[in-house]
Every structure is written in C-alpha cells, then in structure tokens.
C-alpha cells in the first residue's frame, strides 16, 4: 500500500457494524448488509444471469470487501471454474484485522471469507486464485480511475453517501465510469440522488430508478446505451 494512503479510521456499532469516522457512515446496511448487496449490486446488475467467462466487475469503494465476497460466491454457485475479474477503487482501505472481523458477521460467506483471507495481499491490493482475480487500486478514484486501462461489464457504485462523500459521486468521475464500461455494461447503486442520476445519464447510461433496499425508498441502475 502506498505511503500516501492510510487505513480507515472506524468504530464498531454494537460490535457488528463498522462505521467510517471520516464520513460518519456505516460500511453496509444496518438491516442486513449481505441482503443489501444481493439486492442492489447483484440483482441491480442482473447477476448472476449475465455472468460469462472473463466477466469483469468494477467498484467504487471496496470498504469491507463484502461486495466482492458476495459476487465471488454467486460466481462459484453459478458453476464457474475460471477467475471472476474484480477491480475496486479505494482511498482509505480497511485494516486486515478489521476486515476479518467484518467478514465474521456473515456465516453464509464463511468459505469465501476464509479463502479470501488466505490469498489477500493487503500491501499489494491483490487476491488471486483459480476462481478470483481481484485488484484493489488504492488512492483517490478521481486520479486512479482515469488512468485505469480496464473496462467493466458491471459497476458497483458503493461509495459512502453522496451527501457525506461527494468526491466519489461527481460528474467527472461518473463520466469516467461510463468511459470504463464495456459495451452493454451496467451499473447499480443504492443511491437515487438526482445529481448522480443526471451525471450517469450524461455519461451515456440509460438510467432507471427502482425500489430501494430496506429503509431506502429508491435505488438506481442503468445500462450503457
């Protein structure tokens, strides 16, 4: 990990929910983090139905790694034996011991969490094995995403709340999301903020607002036009 980056400062709510002190926002749903990921990011991107060999997920905000574990489990459950490609952009990574604690919250993911722990190189931001090829790119996504050479089939837009972390939801960054999306690629996010939807529309997506998860009335998803 670059000297310019630092581990996230967080506190644990009831010993179960990590909350980012910098942004005063929880890393995942207070209701059910795994169910939220399944609903927002997997179903929101029409996964696992769209999976194919070489499928590439990209993400803004790696956080606890919950989204990766859920996507990897869905990939394995779908019967794939080749690597799921997963690239995430994260400015303030969670310390390995905190990540391990977060993963312990979901017994359904015990196998993926254990396997991830064995291959995760926090310094390099890499986790690779026969069925996963994951990279976490450290730094400000406004700088690192434009330099990225990849193109995602599905985006998980999972930064902290736009009201508390506006840097990860600006129009220029959403434009870069569009530029780094494969033809026919999709995005999904828990937020339905108007300026985010406007920016993603300008970036080339056909944007749709649908019912949100839990206490959130709406969420947003879209496909590159």
């Amino acid at each position: 990990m670059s000297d310019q980056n630092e581990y996230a400062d967080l506190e644990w709510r009831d010993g179960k929910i990590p909350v980012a002190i910098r942004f005063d926002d929880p890393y995942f749903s207070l209701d059910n983090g795994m169910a939220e990921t399944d609903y927002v990011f997997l179903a929101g991107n029409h996964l696992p139905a769209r999976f194919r060999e070489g499928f590439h997920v990209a993400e803004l905000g790696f956080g606890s790694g919950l989204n990766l574990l859920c996507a990897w489990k869905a990939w394995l459950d779908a019967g794939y034996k080749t690597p799921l490609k997963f690239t995430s952009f994260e400015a303030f990574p969670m310390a390995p011991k905190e990540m391990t604690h977060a993963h312990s919250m979901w017994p359904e993911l015990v196998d993926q969490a254990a396997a991830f722990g064995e291959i995760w190189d926090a310094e390099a931001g890499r986790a690779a094995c026969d069925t996963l090829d994951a990279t976490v790119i450290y730094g400000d996504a406004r700088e690192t995403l434009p330099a990225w050479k990849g193109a995602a089939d599905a985006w998980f837009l999972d930064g902290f709340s736009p009201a508390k972390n506006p840097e990860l939801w600006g129009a220029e960054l959403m434009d870069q999301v569009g530029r780094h999306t494969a033809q026919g690629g999709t995005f999904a996010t828990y937020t339905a903020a108007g300026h985010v939807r406007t920016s993603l529309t300008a970036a080339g997506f056909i944007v749709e607002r649908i019912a949100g998860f839990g206490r959130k009335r709406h969420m947003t998803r879209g496909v590159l036009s």
Side-chain angles (χ1 to χ4, degrees), residues 58-76:
E59 175 183 55
L60 292 183
F62 185 65
S64 67
L66 172 60
N67 295 340
L68 181 150
L69 295 184
C70 289
W72 190 17
K73 183 179 188 301
W75 179 260
L76 294 171

Side-chain angles (χ1 to χ4, degrees), residues 185-221:
T186 61
F187 80 85
T189 178
Y190 64 85
T191 185
H195 70 90
V196 174
R197 289 185 284 119
T198 297
S199 296
L200 286 163
T201 299
F205 291 96
I206 298 172
V207 174
E208 178 184 18
R209 188 178 72 167
I210 64 172
F213 175 81
R215 288 173 282 185
K216 292 186 173 69
R217 291 182 60 191
H218 300 107
M219 59 167 278
T220 310
R221 67 184 180 188

Side-chain angles (χ1 to χ4, degrees), residues 99-174:
M99 193 178 296
T100 298
H101 182 46
H103 294 173
S104 71
M105 299 297 108
W106 306 292
E108 305 95 327
L109 296 172
V110 61
D111 292 339
Q112 284 70 46
F116 179 81
E118 292 179 359
I119 61 176
W120 174 236
D121 182 341
E123 187 70 21
R126 288 282 294 149
C129 66
D130 290 346
T131 55
L132 180 67
D133 180 5
T135 301
V136 179
I137 299 175
Y138 298 131
D140 189 327
R142 293 172 296 180
E143 300 173 358
T144 56
L145 178 52
W148 186 48
K149 303 302 183 184
D153 296 297
W155 275 95
F156 298 173
L157 303 182
D158 195 24
F160 290 112
S161 163
K164 298 179 179 181
N165 184 200
E167 295 83 0
L168 216 55
W169 301 96
E172 291 185 2
L173 189 55
M174 295 302 98

